[in-house]
Amino acid sequence: MMSRHHRSSSICGGALIARATTILALCAIVSTAIFLPVAMAVDRTKFRTCQQTSFCRRHRHGKSKRLYDYKLVSESVQLHNVKDAVANAAASSAAVASEKRGLLSKFLGGYSSSETEQLEDPFVRGPPAIFTAKLVNVAPLTSTKLTAQTYGDGCDLSKMNFEEELKLSVHLHEDGVARIRIKEVMEEDSSVRSTPRWTSDELVLNEDEMVAVEEVQAISTNPAIQEKLDESESNNKMPTVEVKTTVSSLIKRANVDSASNNDDNFIVLTYGSNEEQWKLMIQIQPFAVYMFRGNEEDGPPIIAAGTNGLTHFEVRRSKECSTTTTSTVNQIEDKTMNDAAADTNEDVDRHGGKEVVGYWEDGLAIYADGSREERKEVAEEEDEVDKGEGREERRLEEEEFDTKDMWEEKFGDHIDSKPYGPMSVGMELTFPSSTHLFGLPEHASSTQLKTTAGMDGHHYYKEPYRLYNLDVFEYELDETMALYGHIPLVVSQSVKTGTAGAFWFNPTETFVDIEETPQAGGDMDSRTHFMSESGIVDLFLLPGSDPASLYGQYARLTGRMQLPPIFSLGYHQCRWNYRDEADVYFVHSKFEELDYPYDVLWLDIEHTDGKRYFTWDDKTFPNPIEMQNKLGATGRRMVTIIDPHIKRDNQYYIHKEATARGLYVKDKSGKKDYDGWCWPGSSSYLDFTVEKVRNWWADQFNYDKYKGSTPTLFTWNDMNEPSVFNGPEVSMQKDLLNLNNVEHREWHNLYGMLFQRSTAEGLTQRNEGANVRPFVLSRSFFAGSQRYGAIWTGDNAAKWSHLQIASPMLLGLNVAALSFVGADVGGFFGNCDAELITRWMQAAAYQPFFRGHAHHDSKRREPWMFGDETMVRLRHAAMARYALLPFWYTIFWQAGVSGMPVMRTMWMQYPDIPELYSIDDQYLIGSDLLVKPVTSAGATTSHVLFPLADCWYDVDTMQRVELAGAPGSYVAKTVESGIDKIPVYQRGGSIIPRKLRLRRSSYLMINDPYTIYIALDNELKAEGTLYMDDETTFDHEKRDDYGVATFSSDLSSSIIVQNTVTLGNKSALQESKEERMIERIVLMGIATEPKQITLTTLSSATAIPMEFHYDEESKILVIRKPDVSALDQWTMNLTP
């Protein structure tokens, strides 16, 4: 259930109206409205564009470029002693660890930086700074001087200091990651810069795995700088001749602009090991950074930052200067009061004196007389339209710099007070010799990022990609508009420079332009321009050099995906709403009757008592424990929805206690609890940025508090952007304050993730020993959300276009290492026919999160609602999913260990085939299954691109696909894909486990035997993995209670299959060895029938003959009932 239109029971149940007659009138209006036809289109007037956002408008296309020219101050350069810094950090880490919070701490980290750095910046975490220096803005006209000229009436500008100083710190990780951190220099006598800006290291970064380098070599041809660098004992000195050669070579490779091309203008940091090294070249003026892989002798840098002069940092400043007279201050205060009074009068006039009793989710008022506010159409001003011209065409003269909305900004009827004035930061990043960038989810667009700027005004999108978590009702496709969650990670894939990435660690509202620029040699570079409303410049450069390396680096940076309980990988059945217990029992019994596998049945918001979360409607769900137990007896779980908005009802225990404890987000004064409007009506929002609030929320899931809950009940977190119907852009005002007086603008994009995290902790700690894995689905997310549960793509529609966009969107999320993701089967809005639901079910069966869901106005669409023939097709798709659960579970485990995504773009597995880079209508599950969903009505064939580095087998026929071509290329082949067929192929050289016995839930499959499918490659070899544990608890981590079977085949050595077992501990899973049996082995691609197959084990030296069947025509060999366990080591040999 997401942004829902026309919700009668929500409004009626939530409106706080004194007169009963008014309630009846309002409910009558709303109840009638739900039957009106609704057009599918996003209301664009609710959401801002770049031109309607002052910081984006101010800095896009280089419009503010001449206000910023940063120079590194040579005298401030300092290379810190690496070993001392690491030792100090380790001691600090131990202190923090003793105060570790939360049951999921192993996923959260706790590594703090050095004591000195903590004093200067208490929010920083992770490896300490290795290199520091001061940056100064030496532009003739700076931003602070410009604003003083504009706003500083009565100021004597000649007596004011407009120097803008920043502190640069460089943090180098042992895996090659380089952190470039730029913040304000604090000033004790400053009212606005006496404290550091708030950052969220502790809430996002995986500090335990962020390990500092132990050695660094710092060089410069500038003697004064080199002398400063050599003051550090940790600097590995280089002979002067080599210094000159090294610096000159890197400058040449970076193709530095001739104006900056002076050897003395650079500092080079070399770090790593003998096996792998990296170089970071820092340009002194204008400040820029270049990253190279140290073992490469030529070629361009892999990433460059700040090379086009678009770095900006709007330091905090006072609107009134120090020489302002008392009368001027009074005038300013009087103006502020008058403006506030005018705003109040405008609001009264807007409603014509009518009593407001509620709001629709479009932000329009509902009146006590039952009428509804009408939207005012606002004409778009011509000068506000961004035509999207190239940067050079958009240069402004000095007197035309944009200074609007710096201390106050209005959108619609909402005013952002912006008490600290302009605080934006930004920087451009260049990926040389690369034209393929990915990431920046979530957007309803292609997986590859498309251009939004440059190319003489000719680019794909007019608007930059926007990263600001929002509840976007009926979102449109092929757009850069913000959606529910965002991750500011960009990944570049190039044949010339390999895989590289950049994580822009900033949770404030952010816009990102994408541009392609030509190189002198004919190559194209890709450039991104990040512009954030606030925060600091905190940039992590990820050097790769291949997809596996990059995702390992990112996992160490933001955390690893938690292995989910296996039931959550099955099929989930949901609807807004299953009406009552009888409806639940009917749906459940129908799945049972049809032998249709499913694992989870979901309840939407109507199951509660008047939208009060952690409660049940005692009329429709009077016996929730009995209901859960009945479904649990067949291995099924249930999920209930719990949103972050809390109904403001003093009789509601959650609200009463949260109010008494002071746990809510505050208004901009910091004195009153914020009051917004959502499904329950008047609502408040808990402050999940604060630990005590998260802990309190987690406690609410205890069985003695969440009455009617059982161990088989799990949670769905929705509306957690957060969604506020009467707020700006359907969210909270940016100038609201958390409990530490930090503005909402600073932590907005973190809110949904922290809500999901706290819920996951609650589901964990409610059980004795905190040893049962949680399952939480969230709509909103940020970097690090992979640690806490699943994500889905929100309110999609029952349209072929939404089925088509599902794969690109899910791949985009996986690019950002968010793997446990899915799109609602059939689409949330509207009605789908038998063909669309069939194709959607087939596709979703091969996507990580597998849930069917529908709006309450949609027709019922349980699998049996489309007739018997369609039901059989849908059941076949679900059965294919359940048969592959051992494979899915193994891939999820591998993703947690390696960081590699579960659902992979083609380039992740085949980075040497550039023609596959932009492909997003087919993908890989792990490395071994190639999937091509059918997403067009009436399709009977599909166009599949097969990489020729491997051979491929159809998973239905087990026949090898006939392909011809060079091994390093690919072949496009048209294949049959009638209504009963989704093209899926097993990679030659892989071994995949399945369970083939039809069961109605994953719980009933736990003791079922495996069938092993071996697909031989061109050299008659194959290998694969099967991961095993109890599928439910944390014993695989707490007790190392797990086993890994590694299967391998090599017919050239007469080995049909060999099993090598790795156990987490010596006794791991030994009691269940007999429950991990293999009942069948299927070998594909064997050219001739063997004379004999024998089995040898560790416990028996005697070779045991095996029964087998060989089909000459299909080239398939089947070994039946080998009577071996996946937890034992054994070998099967053939006699040719």
Side-chain angles (χ1 to χ4, degrees):
M1 170 204 88
M2 290 319 53
S3 339
R4 269 97 183 241
H5 206 46
H6 307 318
R7 179 146 194 142
S8 60
S9 57
S10 298
I11 301 295
C12 297
L16 302 178
I17 308 172
R19 300 182 301 276
T21 53
T22 306
I23 297 177
L24 293 174
L26 175 59
C27 290
I29 290 290
V30 180
S31 298
T32 301
I34 67 173
F35 297 106
L36 298 176
V38 180
M40 287 289 295
V42 67
D43 182 356
R44 291 181 176 273
T45 64
K46 290 161 56 178
F47 304 105
R48 299 191 302 173
T49 64
C50 176
Q51 285 296 299
Q52 295 169 319
T53 309
S54 65
F55 77 88
C56 185
R57 185 177 68 243
R58 210 158 49 239
H59 299 292
R60 195 182 184 202
H61 298 313
K63 284 184 276 190
S64 65
K65 180 175 180 177
R66 283 185 287 171
L67 296 175
Y68 304 95
D69 181 8
Y70 293 106
K71 176 182 179 181
L72 187 148
V73 179
S74 301
E75 294 78 11
S76 69
V77 167
Q78 186 174 2
L79 185 68
H80 299 269
N81 188 298
V82 178
K83 294 182 180 179
D84 286 350
V86 172
N88 290 337
S92 180
S93 176
V96 172
S98 66
E99 300 177 3
K100 185 66 74 175
R101 71 286 175 210
L103 286 162
L104 299 181
S105 60
K106 62 173 26 177
F107 304 107
L108 307 179
Y111 176 22
S112 301
S113 285
S114 66
E115 183 177 353
T116 302
E117 197 161 10
Q118 284 281 292
L119 292 174
E120 293 182 359
D121 189 346
F123 306 117
V124 68
R125 297 291 187 273
I130 298 301
F131 175 91
T132 57
K134 183 184 293 185
L135 298 177
V136 177
N137 184 3
V138 296
L141 176 65
T142 65
S143 173
T144 48
K145 185 174 183 178
L146 176 66
T147 54
Q149 291 174 347
T150 306
Y151 292 94
D153 294 338
C155 295
D156 184 352
L157 301 184
S158 65
K159 296 181 179 180
M160 298 181 66
N161 177 17
F162 298 110
E163 189 176 66
E164 297 176 1
E165 292 186 346
L166 304 173
K167 181 176 180 180
L168 165 71
S169 61
V170 177
H171 312 245
L172 303 176
H173 299 194
E174 69 174 7
D175 61 2
V177 170
R179 184 181 194 180
I180 313 299
R181 204 166 184 271
I182 303 173
K183 62 183 182 181
E184 291 168 316
V185 172
M186 291 188 291
E187 300 175 0
E188 293 183 3
D189 57 350
S190 170
S191 61
V192 291
R193 292 199 295 275
S194 59
T195 58
R197 293 194 185 192
W198 184 85
T199 57
S200 53
D201 292 35
E202 185 180 12
L203 299 175
V204 176
L205 299 181
N206 181 31
E207 301 156 35
D208 285 344
E209 293 192 69
M210 294 165 59
V211 181
V213 295
E214 293 190 0
E215 293 186 356
V216 65
Q217 183 180 71
I219 60 173
S220 173
T221 61
N222 184 317
I225 294 178
Q226 188 65 57
E227 184 177 353
K228 292 280 291 181
L229 296 173
D230 288 342
E231 291 175 2
S232 172
E233 296 178 2
S234 65
N235 192 20
N236 294 325
K237 298 176 179 60
M238 178 184 289
T240 303
V241 175
E242 292 184 28
V243 169
K244 176 72 175 177
T245 303
T246 300
V247 173
S248 298
S249 172
L250 293 177
I251 292 173
K252 182 178 180 181
R253 290 171 60 185
N255 194 25
V256 175
D257 181 84
S258 58
S260 306
N261 193 345
N262 178 339
D263 287 5
D264 289 354
N265 195 34
F266 297 90
I267 300 169
V268 177
L269 306 178
T270 302
Y271 60 105
S273 63
N274 292 332
E275 292 75 25
E276 193 167 20
Q277 286 189 341
W278 302 273
K279 294 182 186 296
L280 203 67
M281 184 169 73
I282 301 171
Q283 183 173 294
I284 295 174
Q285 186 182 7
F287 171 74
V289 176
Y290 305 81
M291 173 176 263
F292 300 84
R293 296 191 187 101
N295 295 336
E296 297 175 357
E297 297 299 328
D298 55 15
I302 52 176
I303 312 173
T307 55
N308 202 45
L310 297 183
T311 302
H312 78 267
F313 197 120
E314 293 179 329
V315 298
R316 289 171 290 179
R317 67 205 74 175
S318 297
K319 186 175 182 181
E320 300 83 20
C321 58
S322 58
T323 57
T324 302
T325 64
T326 302
S327 61
T328 305
V329 173
N330 290 337
Q331 291 172 12
I332 294 171
E333 291 177 349
D334 290 342
K335 180 180 183 302
T336 302
M337 293 177 66
N338 292 334
D339 288 346
D343 294 337
T344 302
N345 293 332
E346 179 183 343
D347 196 55
V348 172
D349 294 339
R350 167 189 161 196
H351 299 297
K354 290 186 177 183
E355 180 186 357
V356 178
V357 295
Y359 292 88
W360 296 90
E361 56 184 310
D362 57 11
L364 298 178
I366 303 169
Y367 301 122
D369 62 4
S371 62
R372 174 180 175 175
E373 179 185 6
E374 295 183 3
R375 178 176 303 283
K376 296 177 182 179
E377 297 298 329
V378 180
E380 188 175 45
E381 298 179 16
E382 185 65 25
D383 63 351
E384 287 293 303
V385 179
D386 184 346
K387 303 297 185 181
E389 289 89 344
R391 293 177 177 174
E392 295 305 320
E393 287 77 4
R394 293 301 303 263
R395 304 299 186 212
L396 299 182
E397 295 300 324
E398 181 177 306
E399 63 271 16
E400 295 177 325
F401 285 119
D402 190 338
T403 58
K404 288 177 58 180
D405 305 324
M406 283 187 163
W407 268 272
E408 184 177 271
E409 190 163 1
K410 184 174 181 179
F411 181 68
D413 296 317
H414 301 280
I415 295 176
D416 178 5
S417 62
K418 301 176 72 171
Y420 300 104
M423 296 176 63
S424 176
V425 299
M427 179 178 276
E428 89 278 12
L429 308 176
T430 301
F431 296 87
S433 301
S434 174
T435 56
H436 293 85
L437 299 184
F438 307 87
L440 301 181
E442 177 182 38
H443 298 93
S445 57
S446 62
T447 306
Q448 181 181 344
L449 300 175
K450 296 180 179 179
T451 55
T452 64
M455 302 298 287
D456 297 323
H458 301 289
H459 39 78
Y460 193 85
Y461 292 121
K462 182 181 79 172
E463 283 290 310
Y465 287 87
R466 189 182 183 204
L467 281 62
Y468 191 66
N469 297 358
L470 292 173
D471 177 359
V472 182
F473 179 67
E474 296 179 345
Y475 60 80
E476 295 178 357
L477 309 185
D478 199 21
E479 286 286 348
T480 58
M481 288 181 67
L483 288 179
Y484 310 105
H486 295 93
I487 299 176
L489 172 72
V490 172
V491 178
S492 165
Q493 182 59 46
S494 164
V495 171
K496 192 168 185 178
T497 57
T499 312
F503 175 50
W504 177 261
F505 181 24
N506 190 313
T508 72
E509 180 183 6
T510 299
F511 288 87
V512 186
D513 265 323
I514 306 295
E515 180 179 357
E516 292 183 359
T517 58
Q519 283 185 0
D523 278 355
M524 295 289 287
D525 294 345
S526 287
R527 180 180 296 155
T528 65
H529 182 199
F530 283 82
M531 299 163 281
S532 294
E533 181 180 21
S534 187
I536 66 171
V537 173
D538 200 353
L539 174 65
F540 290 86
L541 303 180
L542 285 66
S545 60
D546 55 33
S549 298
L550 181 134
Y551 284 106
Q553 293 157 0
Y554 186 72
R556 287 184 286 275
L557 185 60
T558 64
R560 301 180 183 278
M561 182 175 67
Q562 182 186 105
L563 182 62
I566 200 168
F567 79 80
S568 64
L569 302 182
Y571 178 65
H572 300 246
Q573 182 62 45
C574 185
R575 179 177 177 81
W576 178 33
N577 198 83
Y578 288 118
R579 297 182 299 269
D580 49 31
E581 289 179 3
D583 200 6
V584 167
Y585 289 138
F586 170 76
V587 172
H588 170 71
S589 64
K590 198 67 177 176
F591 275 103
E592 291 277 281
E593 174 190 334
L594 297 172
D595 285 331
Y596 195 111
Y598 92 101
D599 263 78
V600 191
L601 198 146
W602 294 52
L603 296 179
D604 211 319
I605 197 170
E606 312 299 348
H607 83 279
T608 64
D609 175 14
K611 317 304 177 292
R612 298 169 181 87
Y613 301 109
F614 299 99
T615 69
W616 302 82
D617 186 325
D618 59 10
K619 296 181 177 61
T620 54
F621 294 93
N623 302 297
I625 291 179
E626 180 182 348
M627 175 179 64
Q628 294 163 57
N629 289 340
K630 284 185 177 180
L631 269 62
T634 59
R636 273 45 175 258
R637 274 76 168 181
M638 296 194 73
V639 165
T640 52
I641 194 168
I642 295 181
D643 293 346
H645 46 261
I646 304 301
K647 183 180 179 71
R648 292 178 60 85
D649 173 2
N650 290 332
Q651 303 305 310
Y652 174 31
Y653 77 99
I654 293 286
H655 173 66
K656 186 176 180 180
E657 187 173 339
T659 301
R661 291 174 176 264
L663 305 181
Y664 285 134
V665 171
K666 305 300 179 183
D667 65 10
K668 64 182 180 181
S669 74
K671 298 177 180 179
K672 296 181 179 179
D673 293 342
Y674 172 64
D675 185 351
W677 198 269
C678 207
W679 295 131
S682 179
S683 304
S684 285
Y685 294 74
L686 293 159
D687 179 10
F688 290 101
T689 66
V690 174
E691 180 183 351
K692 71 174 184 179
V693 181
R694 295 195 301 272
N695 291 341
W696 178 84
W697 179 258
D699 289 342
Q700 305 315 303
F701 289 89
N702 293 343
Y703 299 120
D704 61 342
K705 293 190 175 183
Y706 187 0
K707 303 295 186 182
S709 66
T710 73
T712 62
L713 184 67
F714 296 86
T715 306
W716 172 15
N717 286 163
D718 196 359
M719 312 296 284
N720 53 333
E721 292 73 28
S723 178
V724 183
F725 292 166
N726 63 332
E729 300 194 89
V730 201
S731 194
M732 295 195 295
Q733 288 84 345
K734 288 184 174 180
D735 53 6
L736 301 183
L737 299 176
N738 73 0
L739 299 183
N740 292 320
N741 291 318
V742 179
E743 286 191 295
H744 170 227
R745 78 183 79 248
E746 304 292 342
W747 41 266
H748 173 84
N749 283 350
L750 299 176
Y751 192 86
M753 178 186 74
L754 295 176
F755 181 49
Q756 185 185 22
R757 165 185 165 175
S758 185
T759 299
E761 290 181 339
L763 293 180
T764 302
Q765 73 178 30
R766 66 180 179 170
N767 296 299
E768 184 178 355
N771 198 34
V772 177
R773 288 177 240 169
F775 169 74
V776 186
L777 177 72
S778 171
R779 186 173 67 174
S780 187
F781 57 86
F782 189 69
S785 285
Q786 67 269 16
R787 292 177 282 185
Y788 308 120
I791 301 293
W792 93 109
T793 59
D795 297 348
N796 57 358
K799 297 180 178 181
W800 286 98
S801 58
H802 279 255
L803 172 57
Q804 290 162 7
I805 203 66
S807 293
M809 289 183 72
L810 297 178
L811 286 170
L813 291 166
N814 274 266
V815 167
L818 202 55
S819 279
F820 199 3
V821 294
D824 283 338
V825 175
F828 178 64
F829 291 110
N831 298 305
C832 50
D833 58 21
E835 184 184 13
L836 179 56
I837 192 69
T838 298
R839 291 307 196 183
W840 213 315
M841 190 73 77
Q842 290 171 343
Y846 290 96
Q847 292 165 353
F849 178 60
F850 187 23
R851 181 180 80 156
H853 187 34
H855 188 276
H856 68 71
D857 287 341
S858 302
K859 296 177 181 178
R860 296 289 287 252
R861 64 165 77 130
E862 289 78 18
W864 50 86
M865 298 301 296
F866 300 89
D868 290 345
E869 185 178 6
T870 299
M871 188 281 294
V872 170
R873 291 193 178 106
L874 301 183
R875 183 174 60 188
H876 180 76
M879 288 168 59
R881 169 62 166 234
Y882 275 78
L884 280 168
L885 281 182
F887 171 73
W888 279 103
Y889 197 60
T890 298
I891 297 299
F892 268 77
W893 169 73
Q894 290 174 335
V897 172
S898 69
M900 277 290 282
V902 168
M903 183 178 175
R904 301 177 187 172
T905 58
M906 298 299 293
W907 60 261
M908 290 182 187
Q909 210 62 38
Y910 300 97
D912 296 327
I913 308 178
E915 294 85 356
L916 299 180
Y917 289 179
S918 61
I919 301 301
D920 58 12
D921 60 353
Q922 66 179 57
Y923 52 86
L924 294 151
I925 302 301
S927 61
D928 297 340
L929 283 184
L930 173 59
V931 182
K932 172 77 176 198
V934 181
T935 59
S936 299
T940 57
T941 59
S942 295
H943 199 61
V944 182
L945 305 183
F946 292 97
L948 294 179
D950 294 299
C951 56
W952 300 92
Y953 295 81
D954 187 301
V955 298
D956 294 319
T957 65
M958 293 185 284
Q959 296 300 289
R960 179 166 169 164
V961 181
E962 294 185 6
L963 303 170
S969 61
Y970 72 98
V971 166
K973 188 177 180 68
T974 300
V975 300
E976 296 297 321
S977 57
I979 191 63
D980 292 307
K981 173 73 173 177
I982 175 175
V984 180
Y985 302 90
Q986 182 173 343
R987 181 181 62 82
S990 68
I991 300 177
I992 288 179
R994 286 181 173 87
K995 289 187 175 183
L996 300 184
R997 299 185 184 184
L998 174 59
R999 304 291 187 188
R1000 296 189 295 273
S1001 72
S1002 63
Y1003 175 80
L1004 300 175
M1005 297 171 60
I1006 190 167
N1007 295 328
D1008 283 353
Y1010 300 100
T1011 294
I1012 306 301
Y1013 286 79
I1014 304 171
L1016 296 174
D1017 64 12
N1018 294 323
E1019 297 179 353
L1020 303 181
K1021 296 179 180 180
E1023 60 182 10
T1025 302
L1026 170 62
Y1027 173 79
M1028 297 163 283
D1029 62 22
D1030 65 15
E1031 302 176 351
T1032 301
T1033 74
F1034 285 109
D1035 281 351
H1036 64 297
E1037 294 179 350
K1038 292 184 175 183
R1039 299 172 48 196
D1040 290 330
D1041 199 8
Y1042 67 87
V1044 180
T1046 302
F1047 303 110
S1048 59
S1049 293
D1050 184 355
L1051 266 59
S1052 64
S1053 300
S1054 300
I1055 299 174
I1056 288 280
V1057 60
Q1058 183 177 63
N1059 186 32
T1060 303
V1061 178
T1062 302
L1063 299 177
N1065 65 67
K1066 292 182 179 180
S1067 61
L1069 301 178
Q1070 292 306 292
E1071 294 180 358
S1072 63
K1073 185 178 292 188
E1074 299 302 317
E1075 298 163 358
R1076 309 284 180 168
M1077 302 301 289
I1078 294 174
E1079 69 172 347
R1080 187 182 298 106
I1081 297 171
V1082 178
L1083 191 69
M1084 295 172 268
I1086 181 168
T1088 59
E1089 180 177 5
K1091 294 180 180 178
Q1092 186 182 40
I1093 297 175
T1094 57
L1095 168 70
T1096 57
T1097 67
L1098 291 179
S1099 60
S1100 175
T1102 305
I1104 305 171
M1106 293 283 100
E1107 294 184 8
F1108 65 90
H1109 173 76
Y1110 178 74
D1111 186 287
E1112 178 70 30
E1113 183 177 355
S1114 64
K1115 309 298 183 187
I1116 296 173
L1117 173 74
V1118 179
I1119 304 171
R1120 294 189 177 91
K1121 298 181 180 179
D1123 195 30
V1124 291
S1125 172
L1127 289 171
D1128 280 331
Q1129 299 196 158
W1130 42 262
T1131 302
M1132 291 185 188
N1133 295 97
L1134 65 82
T1135 301

